[in-house]
Amino acid sequence: MAKNKGVAPRLAEALAIILGTEEIPLRLRAWDGSEAGPVNAPVIEFRSRRGLRRMLWSPNQLGLSRAYVAGDIDDDGDLFESFSVLSSVGKFAEVKAFRPPTLSERWRLLRTAIRVGALGLPIAPPPEEMDVSKAGRLHSKKRDSAAVSHHYDVGNDFYRLVLGPSMVYSCAVWEDEDTGLDAAQEAKLDLVCRKLGLKEGMRVLDVGCGWGSFALHAARNYGVDVVGITLSKEQAALARKRAADVGLSDRTEIRVQDYRDIDDGPFDAISSIGMAEHVGKEQIGNYAAKLNSLLRPGGRLLNHAISWNAGEMPPDPDSFIPRYVFPDGEMLSLTVMLGALESAGLEVLDVEALRRHYSLTLRAWVHNLEENWDEAVRLTSEGRARVWRLYMASSALGFERGLNGVNQILVQRPGGEEPPLRRNF
């Protein structure tokens, strides 16, 4: 069949309607072998009619994501290039709520579906999708636990493939682009220790401790005792094993516990690395107040969190990230986060922006995943591996475009020893 005939031109028309643009700078390859679009453009392949049907029933980011996760559509090997082009046109380029198709556009989509044989009943979402609203009230302890379990309890071996030996799941700190992921993560852990002013004999709380990497680094290199908390049973089990393997079980205590239930303060210092994104705007004031109450006077808190840099936009529970990656997660602006910490009575000592560092980190994780693709699929599922590939690649581009940031905010509870006049980190 000739390349410029067949199903592909119709697919191009449909995708242009969904994206809200006249033309799309992508080359589409259809299930019948036909192609349409610029010859040298990145290729998106529709493997079956199911891909278009999913997008007809959900003509937005969620429909496109479902089609990709299910394997109904695919890129031609460079997801960064394909997604960069896709996110730069039409509705996907707009930093606001996705506008649904008009009635006229819906009729055009319907006619296209009939012509290519894609009309039919809605298809069940891929099993990797989660509707966390069934777990109870927003940011209740039960629902937060379910959301964290969905994201983190997918297998420690899978995370090890993606994150590498460091097992650190947050933005690294890169000296330059050639630093390497493991060295950059080691640098980040040590930077947090220095900002907190850790000294031998201190008692430290690590909120959202993950697989224990910060706790182990702080205990081993600074002689502190660390209490790490997580809502993930799989994370806690591996963190405890890692501590035992290196002889640090006596200096690290790993708990499966909600931060709201901690009642054995005070702590000399608190680290919260990549955890505040799970708290939500409505609860962020209570989060700051709780951590303040757990600090001794003069104690420091380091809050490391992703921020939303693109202005006011209400969370969309029916988009890719909430359904597949971070249910109920909210990226707050730096202004909101600073306001919550200051309103809780904490004094801001330092703010450091690491936006460009996170893009490098995410690209390194994507590389690890792609290098170990078959094993990642074996450990979880092809759909789960696709979720992570799409999530990390699109997130890297979001940081590069400046839509997202990541900030380390260092604060101190007043009443103790004054901090040095010069920064000591």
Side-chain angles (χ1 to χ4, degrees):
M1 181 177 292
K3 292 291 185 180
N4 61 344
K5 297 181 180 180
V7 171
R10 298 293 185 189
L11 285 176
E13 293 174 13
L15 192 57
I17 293 170
I18 291 169
L19 292 176
T21 185
E22 291 296 323
E23 296 181 356
I24 54 172
L26 292 166
R27 188 156 184 84
L28 299 185
R29 182 181 298 139
W31 54 86
D32 65 347
S34 63
E35 296 183 3
V39 174
N40 296 321
V43 175
I44 296 292
E45 179 181 1
F46 279 72
R47 292 177 168 177
S48 74
R49 294 173 173 82
R50 293 166 61 92
L52 180 57
R53 187 185 300 178
R54 289 184 189 276
M55 295 173 67
L56 292 171
W57 283 99
S58 298
N60 51 24
Q61 184 194 94
L62 184 59
L64 185 65
S65 302
R66 285 171 171 168
Y68 177 79
V69 172
D72 297 325
I73 66 172
D74 206 355
D75 63 284
D76 205 31
D78 191 340
L79 186 61
F80 285 106
E81 185 179 12
S82 300
F83 197 85
S84 179
V85 171
L86 190 62
S87 62
S88 67
V89 297
K91 300 173 189 176
F92 279 21
E94 300 174 2
V95 186
K96 59 183 180 181
F98 202 92
R99 177 185 67 78
T102 64
L103 182 60
S104 172
E105 290 171 337
R106 287 182 182 275
W107 276 114
R108 289 167 60 195
L109 287 172
L110 179 61
R111 287 197 302 269
T112 299
I114 294 172
R115 288 170 179 169
V116 302
L119 195 63
L121 295 174
I123 304 168
E128 291 79 14
E129 183 172 317
M130 181 185 190
D131 183 2
V132 76
S133 65
K134 298 176 182 178
R137 179 176 51 83
L138 178 64
H139 292 304
S140 64
K141 293 177 183 178
K142 178 182 177 182
R143 181 159 159 175
D144 279 357
S145 179
V148 167
S149 179
H150 170 79
H151 186 77
Y152 294 102
D153 291 341
V154 298
N156 292 329
D157 291 337
F158 172 79
Y159 274 102
R160 189 177 286 107
L161 286 180
V162 175
L163 304 180
S166 70
M167 288 298 283
V168 180
Y169 184 34
S170 52
C171 175
V173 175
W174 300 71
E175 181 68 25
D176 54 49
E177 294 185 1
D178 298 323
T179 297
L181 178 61
D182 294 336
Q185 291 292 16
E186 184 83 1
K188 187 270 297 298
L189 296 177
D190 206 64
L191 178 62
V192 173
C193 291
R194 297 197 308 273
K195 286 182 175 181
L196 289 173
L198 298 189
K199 298 177 183 178
E200 187 170 353
M202 281 186 169
R203 186 168 184 249
V204 180
L205 173 65
D206 186 19
V207 182
C209 66
W211 295 273
S213 297
F214 172 78
L216 296 178
H217 183 92
R220 179 172 53 245
N221 295 289
Y222 289 84
V224 297
D225 296 317
V226 187
V227 174
I229 64 165
T230 175
L231 294 177
S232 167
K233 294 179 181 178
E234 289 193 22
Q235 283 187 332
L238 182 56
R240 292 176 188 132
K241 182 180 184 303
R242 294 176 74 195
D245 288 345
V246 295
L248 288 173
S249 295
D250 60 331
R251 310 220 69 161
T252 58
E253 178 188 357
I254 307 298
R255 306 173 182 171
V256 178
Q257 187 177 34
D258 192 292
Y259 75 94
R260 289 165 286 197
D261 293 332
I262 302 172
D263 59 3
D264 58 338
F267 294 89
D268 298 296
I270 300 176
S271 62
S272 178
I273 307 172
M275 180 272 177
E277 298 91 335
H278 295 285
V279 173
K281 189 173 183 178
E282 290 187 2
Q283 291 293 320
I284 198 65
N286 294 332
Y287 159 87
K290 176 65 177 181
L291 297 190
N292 182 35
S293 73
L294 293 170
L295 275 172
R296 66 164 178 79
R300 294 180 179 183
L301 159 67
L302 188 286
N303 191 84
H304 172 123
I306 298 172
S307 63
W308 177 249
N309 291 355
E312 286 294 325
M313 187 175 75
D316 180 4
D318 290 328
S319 58
F320 171 65
I321 295 292
R323 285 297 187 97
Y324 285 91
V325 186
F326 286 113
D328 292 340
E330 290 185 57
M331 294 177 291
L332 307 180
S333 70
L334 175 60
T335 302
V336 169
M337 186 65 73
L338 282 168
L341 294 168
E342 287 190 314
S343 295
L346 293 159
E347 178 186 1
V348 177
L349 301 182
D350 185 77
V351 179
E352 182 174 6
L354 299 171
R355 176 183 64 81
R356 295 172 63 193
H357 296 258
Y358 215 170
S359 175
L360 292 172
T361 305
L362 286 157
R363 283 180 174 271
W365 290 341
V366 172
H367 174 77
N368 286 347
L369 176 60
E370 292 179 341
E371 286 289 297
N372 297 281
W373 184 260
D374 291 342
E375 181 67 4
V377 170
R378 187 189 70 80
L379 290 170
T380 53
S381 67
E382 183 175 355
R384 180 68 64 189
R386 284 175 164 269
V387 166
W388 280 86
R389 184 167 179 254
L390 179 60
Y391 149 60
M392 293 188 298
S394 61
S395 295
L397 293 170
F399 282 98
E400 288 167 9
R401 290 176 62 192
L403 303 180
N404 306 110
V406 61
N407 305 291
Q408 288 190 349
I409 304 175
L410 181 65
V411 294
Q412 179 169 301
R413 180 172 180 174
E417 185 178 325
E418 288 281 7
L421 291 174
R422 294 179 179 271
R423 300 198 318 174
N424 61 341
F425 45 84

